[in-house]
Amino acid sequence: MALPLTLSEIPARRPAGAVIPHRGLGKRGADEPTAAGVHGFASGTYPFLKDVPPQQFVKVLSTAEIVVGAALLTPFVPTLVAGAALTAFSGGLLGLYLRTPGMRKEGSLAPTPEGLALAKDSWLVGIGLSMMLRGLTARRQTVPVKKARKQVRKAEKAGRKEARRTAKA
């Protein structure tokens, strides 16, 4: 059985897959002030989160980070699925950067010192989008080994048949 992962995808999946669950595990046992801080920051940008209790929000966020990281590190998770999970997660982080006042210099995408940590998460969006594109296009570009062998045998047979015709003529 072939894995839905190519050798070229491993360098992108491994670092992101290691960093994200590490963040999630760090939030797993967050105390009340830490949970309130993380929740306050997120709900300031995404107002629909204000109704979620801080401890519950941090638990869900922690779980999401662990799940996304596990999807990236697990080789049998298809590239498209892992890329979509990473893109969705990192898109939320990028939204925090773009929508939170004080994260960017006025009238620019350049980060302020406070926004630098979130701005650096933009590489996760790039990795996620690249993985999704790879997952969407890889099947069209590659052929399973069994099918390739069959195509080669068919082409060889047609070539031999053509050679015999040419030799007779």
Side-chain angles (χ1 to χ4, degrees):
M1 179 182 111
L3 293 175
L5 171 74
T6 63
L7 189 60
S8 64
E9 295 165 38
I10 294 172
R13 287 176 78 148
R14 294 277 316 245
V19 169
I20 295 171
H22 178 71
R23 288 177 174 179
L25 290 170
K27 290 180 184 89
R28 204 69 180 147
D31 59 10
E32 194 62 43
T34 302
V38 172
H39 178 260
F41 183 64
S43 63
T45 302
Y46 298 113
F48 66 90
L49 295 173
K50 289 184 194 251
D51 296 336
V52 179
Q55 285 289 13
Q56 181 183 354
F57 171 75
V58 171
K59 275 188 179 178
V60 169
L61 178 60
S62 169
T63 301
E65 289 174 326
I66 293 167
V67 168
V68 169
L72 291 167
L73 292 172
T74 306
F76 58 81
V77 173
T79 300
L80 179 60
V81 173
L86 179 59
T87 301
F89 175 75
S90 58
L93 294 174
L94 193 57
L96 282 173
Y97 171 68
L98 294 172
R99 297 174 65 190
T100 302
M103 296 290 121
R104 296 180 293 125
K105 293 178 182 173
E106 190 67 36
S108 170
L109 287 176
T112 61
E114 295 80 20
L116 191 57
L118 284 174
K120 287 193 276 185
D121 287 335
S122 63
W123 62 274
L124 294 172
V125 175
I127 291 172
L129 290 172
S130 295
M131 288 173 59
M132 287 178 62
L133 287 172
R134 172 73 180 172
L136 288 170
T137 61
R139 291 193 178 125
R140 294 182 195 128
Q141 295 174 353
T142 62
V143 176
V145 174
K146 188 174 180 180
K147 187 173 182 179
R149 286 183 182 145
K150 184 176 179 180
Q151 289 174 347
V152 168
R153 283 192 303 271
K154 189 175 179 180
E156 287 173 344
K157 184 177 177 181
R160 286 190 302 268
K161 190 174 182 179
E162 183 62 32
R164 282 191 301 267
R165 270 193 229 145
T166 307
K168 286 182 182 179

